[in-house]
Amino acid sequence: MIADGVRAIWCREFERDDIGPDDDFFALGGQSLIMTKIQGAYIEELGAEVPMDQMFLNPTIASISAYIESHR
């Protein structure tokens, strides 16, 4: 399931294990370096290329997972 993979990436990059599907990337303290790492992990681990603008438009695990699912 894509959401599980996205969540694992976010938890690793934020060094937290309590991130839920509707937590907001920016409210968690997300910034450009973390976003770039997550974007790279999407490619390497999920095989999904996610444009940066979509990462801004979909700032939760639930919304970015839905985006990735819809573009497979």
Side-chain angles (χ1 to χ4, degrees):
M1 183 172 195
I2 292 297
D4 292 337
V6 170
R7 183 180 181 281
I9 291 167
W10 281 40
C11 287
R12 182 182 66 237
E13 295 305 329
F14 280 103
E15 299 179 354
R16 297 174 56 161
D17 60 0
D18 62 344
I19 300 174
D22 296 318
D23 287 331
D24 185 277
F25 175 87
F26 300 102
L28 292 168
Q31 35 80 3
S32 61
L33 180 59
I34 293 173
M35 186 174 280
T36 301
K37 288 181 178 180
I38 288 173
Q39 186 182 35
Y42 289 158
I43 294 169
E44 288 183 26
E45 298 173 35
L46 304 178
E49 290 193 36
V50 180
M52 195 64 73
D53 66 325
Q54 290 301 319
M55 295 180 70
F56 279 97
L57 293 170
N58 297 288
T60 67
I61 291 171
S63 64
I64 200 67
S65 296
Y67 172 82
I68 292 170
E69 289 277 355
S70 71
H71 288 80
R72 291 199 136 203

